[in-house]
Amino acid sequence: MGDPGTVAAPRVAQLRPSAAQARIISAALELFARNGVGGTSLQMIADTIGVTKAAVYHQYNTKDEIVLAAAEAELARLEAVIGAAEAEPSRARARKTLVTGMVDLAVAHRRTVSTILNDPVIVRFFAEHESFRHVMDRMSRVLMGDDIGHEARVSTAMLTAAISGTVMHPLVVGLDDETLRSQLQRLAERLLPAMSAKPERSSPATRN
Amino acid sequence: MGDPGTVAAPRVAQLRPSAAQARIISAALELFARNGVGGTSLQMIADTIGVTKAAVYHQYNTKDEIVLAAAEAELARLEAVIGAAEAEPSRARARKTLVTGMVDLAVAHRRTVSTILNDPVIVRFFAEHESFRHVMDRMSRVLMGDDIGHEARVSTAMLTAAISGTVMHPLVVGLDDETLRSQLQRLAERLLPAMSAKPERSSPATRN
DNA sequence: GTCTATATATAGATAGAC
DNA sequence: GTCTATCTATATATAGAC
């Protein structure tokens, strides 16, 4: 992991949003979570922050750009957690750091995280834009290592789906954050793929 | 479980759809999965099945009715699985039957299941309509028993979120159904809440 | 059960003043 | 950075003929 040569992780967001843009993104995220991306209009976003549609269009030229910016804002948080995990000295610690960070993130943003990750429009963005896929690849690598077998794939997919999906499940809406976080983390660790027998080594891993 | 006195489980669907209605529901489910409920118009549904909007409105008076019917159609499948699980003689077998059935269902309908269960519009329907909540309550009871503690709630929420969310995860799109099913079932069992110490009730048991 | 035609509202998006 | 005003397309929904 560590790879001390690497300094700055490639960022998803091109430019950090201005104050006006940040308000749009914040309103959009909340509305997307409540109505879905397709069910959210620019008029709704404008009304939420108390301006007209034209003011919103001054910040973003299309609705797609808003969706993209909102997805980037959410993913930036995940990217930071991944970066911290990659900096850990061992695979085991990297995985634990990542899972803890993902759980914390999901619990702290219960409404948005799950819907954003599952909305079909955003899922399409994820598939189309390389920068998104790159973040997901880094996450998978921390969790799975170089193991790309069936077992590792399914358990990684299940781990991410479980964390993001649980936090807004009707059964847990009444739970306080701390209880949810501790239970979620304990259970998430049960899903971790078995670590490949490969020993921790400092030499470059066998890559293909 | 069993409760031999109970004969017919209360159904979610009021009337079973006609042939024309079934085509609408089928097209709607596919479009909902691809575009979200809010991003799907009646025109899209009409185009998909090759009729005009007016023909669709002849079957359902509003878009909400279509959403409701589509959600009912999906939930009816889950209800059948729950019914089979409830008929099992022991809790352990009931749980295993339910998990197996849920996994089979999710894998067989990879696209629809996840999106339908996570779409914010449908989630709202679930919260508002008692018939939907009743099905979810039955599912929870089979999985958790009478234990409604934090641990059981989180693990149940996680189990359902994990199953439905994994099947359309980018990491598993390339996996064949049989591999996905076996891995998913194996991992799902790791999430099952610990069984409460309450003994197996010896009484009614064996059903038809 | 399906069609044409239409009513009304709102969607995404742009022009130009302040 | 925000506004009013407007364009075009499409949304949900209805009326009535076949």
Side-chain angles (χ1 to χ4, degrees), chain A residues 24 42-43 45-58:
Chain A
I24 292 171
L42 295 193
Q43 186 67 65
I45 296 173
D47 289 348
T48 299
I49 62 181
V51 297
T52 62
K53 273 193 296 182
V56 176
Y57 272 106
H58 182 71

Side-chain angles (χ1 to χ4, degrees), chain B residues 4-60:
Chain B
T6 309
V7 194
R11 304 234 62 205
V12 162
Q14 277 81 331
L15 293 108
R16 58 173 144 286
S18 69
Q21 287 173 330
R23 265 175 294 148
I24 291 172
I25 290 175
S26 172
L29 282 172
E30 189 56 40
L31 288 165
F32 290 166
R34 203 173 299 278
N35 311 112
V37 173
T40 300
S41 69
L42 295 193
Q43 186 67 65
M44 293 179 193
I45 296 174
D47 288 348
T48 300
I49 62 182
V51 297
T52 62
K53 276 190 296 183
V56 175
Y57 272 108
H58 182 71
Q59 303 297 333
Y60 296 103

Side-chain angles (χ1 to χ4, degrees), chain A residues 33-36 38 120 124 150-151 153-158 160-161 165-166 169 171 175 179 183-184 186-188 190, chain B residues 33-36 38 120 124 150-151 153-154 156-158 160-161 165-166 169 171 175 179 183-184 186-188 190:
Chain A
R34 203 172 299 277
N35 311 111
R124 209 170 306 164
H150 299 154
E151 189 181 334
R153 293 180 92 88
V154 176
S155 55
T156 301
M158 205 159 168
T160 62
T166 302
H169 196 286
L171 275 174
L175 290 190
T179 302
Q183 292 293 337
L184 198 46
R186 187 179 57 82
L187 289 164
R190 290 198 205 166
Chain B
R34 203 173 299 278
N35 311 112
R124 208 171 308 164
H150 299 155
E151 189 181 335
R153 293 181 92 88
V154 176
T156 301
M158 205 160 169
T160 61
T166 302
H169 196 287
L171 275 174
L175 290 190
T179 302
Q183 291 293 337
L184 198 47
R186 187 178 58 82
L187 289 164
R190 291 198 205 165

